[in-house]
Amino acid sequence: MDISDSDLLLLLLSVAKKRRSEKARKREWIRPFLQERPEMGEFQFLCRELASDEDKFFQHYRMSRKSFEELHTILKDEISVITTNFRSSITSMERLAVCLRYLAVGGSQRDIADSFRIGRSTVSGIVTQVCEKIWQVLQPTYMPVPSRQVWESTALEFYDRWGFPNCTGAIEGKHVHIRRPIDESRVCSYKGFHSLVCLTVVDAMYRFLIVDVGNYGANGENAILNDSNFIENYFDNLEYPQPRTLPGSRIITPYVFLGNETFALRTFLMRPYPKITCVDRTDRQEFNARLNRGRTVVDKAFGILTSNWKVFLKPIDCKPEGADAIVKATCCLHNFLLEQNSALTDVDYRPEVQPPRGKIDKKSYALKPIGKTNSRASRDALEIRDLFTEYFSLPHTE
């Protein structure tokens, strides 16, 4: 049967129209699954179901409802986004809930996206942006740059609580294990995984005084302090107190940080004596015992941190910049929650937020210890450590 030119043209137009309609249906602006977020999303569900269940709310967001609302009030203006004519924006409270939920459970951002009925890329953007704002807004209040008064009050707390005088905090270095990034050369450590280096100082009450993230795992232990801005920004700063007489004696020493074998012995940083040199030296054994006792604040601080924020129980699945923001944000939240619940400073940490023993492999943690260094110490640093050893041997220091 012959087809006229006009009929053929109509047929072609019909086929083209059908194809355009099918293509339009495939390119949906929002998937039906995501359109159900206002009614079926996790945040909306929890707002209805957990209105009076404080324990469940704490389990989901690792903080009380009161703390959540106060935190939202502080961050609201910074994390809000504009609603357009094309779609309604995710509210500031829900954005905060998405970020806290990811930090609380870790794992896959895909699971968080499905639970909240939000796109996977949207969750990734929310987590990074909200963490950055948490650091920017909370840091000046809950982790300000220490002043001379802060250093001196920290030293008094350390002496009263842990028996180590002229101590301005316990210093710790950690590898922040991240998933394989696109550019892996700068973050691949010699231990065979990709990481950033986190340098922290903890005070006598388990609060983070300093958090310095940014060194790459490819750097060795000896470069942790040298390549960071720590010495320039804090120790060489005029705000750091000058040497002072130890209580009840005439021995004068500088203020120091308590470190472990990760760090080289310095005039401002004490590390234990090697075990082989302590066999017949009870005075050195006493110094090591005092130093290790003071450094328990580091273990307890990181115990609270990793118990609350289980994002650290596995390698962090994000870019180095995102991991940097997550570490800084969680440390600020740590200080924020300690101020909200000061009882946490009088106990190790809440039993209900501890990971079950035997079920979590510490080798998979995102926060990994840094290896030992055997750098040679200066004569001045050795003399200062000996002065502390002499002081702890005095009868009145028992």
Side-chain angles (χ1 to χ4, degrees), residues 42-71:
E42 178 179 317
F43 179 74
Q44 289 75 16
F45 174 78
L46 290 177
C47 286
R48 296 192 302 266
E49 300 297 326
L50 303 184
S52 59
D53 195 335
E54 187 66 30
D55 291 337
K56 277 290 184 182
F57 190 92
F58 180 88
Q59 291 176 10
H60 270 77
Y61 300 118
R62 317 315 286 174
M63 63 180 65
S64 65
R65 186 182 297 274
K66 179 181 178 181
S67 297
F68 181 91
E69 293 174 352
E70 181 174 343
L71 181 62

Side-chain angles (χ1 to χ4, degrees), residues 197 199 215-216 218-229 231 262-264 266 370 373 375:
V197 175
L199 191 65
N215 263 344
Y216 297 120
N219 299 334
E221 281 77 6
N222 294 333
I224 292 175
L225 282 175
N226 295 333
D227 292 348
S228 70
N229 297 323
I231 297 177
T262 297
F263 304 97
R266 296 171 181 256
I370 297 176
T373 182
S375 298

Side-chain angles (χ1 to χ4, degrees), residues 156-167:
L156 291 176
E157 287 181 344
F158 246 100
Y159 181 61
D160 293 339
R161 193 174 178 93
W162 304 105
F164 205 109
N166 286 14
C167 172

